[in-house]
Amino acid sequence: MNGRVLHIELKRSVAPWPGVVVLGGSLAVLCLIDGIWWKGTAGWTAQWTSMALWTRYLLGFWWPLVVGMGAVYGLRDSRSRMAELLTTTPLPAWRRAALPAGAMALVLASGFGLLVLVGGVQVSLGATTYTSPGWLPISLVAALALVAAAVFGMGVARALPSVLTPPALTVLFLLLISLLRQNNEEALPSGVAPNRLALLSPVTADPREMLLTLSDSVHLGQTLWLLGLLATGFALLSAATRRTRLLAVAPTLAGAALAVLILPAAPRDTYVVDKTAATLVCDGPVCVTRANHSHLPELAPRGKEALRVLRDSLGGKAPNSVREDTELRALGDERRLSGDVVLIDFDDPLIAHAAGAGLTRLLVAQGLAPNCAPSTTWEGGGLVDIPAQSIAASWALGDHQLEPLQQPDTDEYAQRAWANAEVAWEKLAALPPAEQRSRIAQVHAAALSCQNELTALTGETSP
C-alpha cells in the first residue's frame, strides 16, 4: 500500500467520515455546550490527565457509532457486487484488506489526535503548571479503541454482508457500554458489572477528582483486549473461507481472557491517586498540591493573614495551617474536620473565584465555621453553612454589618435563610464582647462536630 493508492482510497470512499464525526462531534460537545467538563479542577482543559479522561468519556458516544460506520464501509464490496471478482485476483487477501483498514485507522487516529491536540493547547495556555506523562497512555488506548471498533465492524460486515449488520453492531455496542458503564458517585468510580468486565469497555466515568488516574494494569489489560478485537476484525476482513472466519474469533477471545486476568478486580486498584500531582507544595503554613501549585503565590499571603485573624478570634484553639483538601469521598459524604487545619477545595466555586481580600474572608470563614460537606458541584454553597460562615467572618474582620460570602439567591427559601442570618447577626452584635467571643467559639465547636452553626450563634439547642 503506497501513498498514492491510500490517497485515492481516502478521496473516493467514506473512510474520512468517521474521523470527521469524532473530531467535529467531540469539539461540538466540549466547546459549544457549557457542561460540567468546563467546571472545577477536573475540567477538560484544567489538567492534562482530566483532559485525556474527558476525551475517553466521549467514547460512550463514538465507540458504538464508529463500529457501525466501519460496518457500512465494510459492505462496499458486497453492495457493488465485486466480492467474488476480487477473490479471483492474485493479490493476497490480507493486502486487499490492509488498504481500507489502514485508511480507516489513519482517519480515526488523526481525528482523535487533533481532538487531543486542541485540548492540550488549551491546557498549556491555562493556569496549570503541572504536566504529567500519565495522560498519554489514556489517550493512546482511546485511539486504539476507535480503530479496533471500526476494523471489527468492517470485518463483521464482510463476513455477514447484510444491511442489518451496521445497525445491529451499533445497538450491540450501545448495550455493552450501558451494561458496563461506570459512575463516579462513590469515592472511586464503579459500576454494577464486575470491575474486570466493566473495564473491557474503554469508556471512563466523567472525571470528578483531578488527582485520580488509571493504573498501569488497566492500560495493559485494555490494550491486549483491544488488540485482540482489532486482530479479529482484520482477520474477518481478509478471510476467504468459513474455517478462516471461525478461527478469526480466536484473537478476541484470547485478548479478553488475558485482559480479565490482568485488569484489577477492585475500583481502588483501577483508579489510583497520582502521587506526584498530590504532593504538597508549601509556603510556610500554606500548602497546596503540586497540580494546583499555580494558586500558591496568591493563596500564601492571604492564608497567612487569615491564620492571624483566626488566632485573634479563637486563641489557642485556632488552626495553625491552611491545606488543600485531597481526601477522596463519595458524593454527599461528610469530610473529616480538624481544628488544626483550614481545609480548602479549589472545586468549591467560592474558593475558585475568590481573589484579594475576598479570599482572605473566605479562609477566615472556613477556619471559624468549616463545612462538613463542601460544595463541589459548582451550584453554590448550602443555605446553612454560608450564612453562618458569613456571620463568623464578618465578626472576626470587625465589620459593622453582615457581609455575605456570596450573593444571596432570590428564591423564597434562600431569602428566608438570609433573613434568619440577619437576625442572628443583630443578636450577636448586641451581646457584650466576651459573650460574642464565646458564641463564636461555640460556632467553631459546632461546625467541627457537623452541627447547625446558626443555632450556636443564637444560643439555641442544636436539633
Side-chain angles (χ1 to χ4, degrees), residues 303-357:
K304 295 172 184 177
E305 174 64 17
L307 291 176
R308 184 192 62 77
V309 174
L310 291 171
R311 283 194 299 270
D312 293 341
S313 303
L314 297 174
K317 296 183 179 180
N320 52 33
S321 64
V322 177
R323 180 173 56 82
E324 182 179 351
D325 187 5
T326 58
E327 181 183 2
L328 301 180
R329 296 182 302 276
L331 290 176
D333 279 3
E334 293 182 345
R335 63 179 179 179
R336 290 172 292 184
L337 299 176
S338 171
D340 297 331
V341 179
V342 179
L343 292 176
I344 59 171
D345 190 341
F346 291 111
D347 277 330
D348 189 325
L350 295 180
I351 293 291
H353 294 154

Side-chain angles (χ1 to χ4, degrees), residues 260-281:
V260 168
L261 293 176
I262 295 173
L263 291 171
R268 65 176 176 272
D269 299 319
T270 302
Y271 288 85
V272 295
V273 174
D274 186 336
K275 294 182 179 180
T276 304
T279 301
L280 292 180
V281 180

Side-chain angles (χ1 to χ4, degrees), residues 233-292:
F234 187 78
L236 288 173
L237 195 60
S238 57
T241 65
R242 178 177 298 181
R243 182 171 178 272
T244 308
R245 294 189 184 100
L246 291 176
L247 291 176
V249 183
T252 293
L253 297 179
L258 289 174
V260 168
L261 293 176
I262 295 173
L263 291 171
R268 65 176 176 272
D269 299 319
T270 302
Y271 288 85
V272 295
V273 174
D274 186 336
K275 294 182 179 180
T276 304
T279 301
L280 292 180
V281 180
C282 300
D283 183 344
V286 182
C287 299
V288 298
T289 60
R290 185 175 297 277
N292 283 321

Side-chain angles (χ1 to χ4, degrees), residues 382-392 402 405 414 417-418 420-421 454 457:
L383 291 176
V384 175
D385 292 330
I386 298 298
Q389 289 181 336
S390 300
I391 294 173
L402 178 61
L405 293 177
W418 281 103
N420 294 336
L454 277 178
L457 274 172

Side-chain angles (χ1 to χ4, degrees), residues 153-169:
M154 294 169 64
V156 173
R158 180 68 63 86
L160 301 173
S162 168
V163 294
L164 298 179
T165 300
L169 281 176

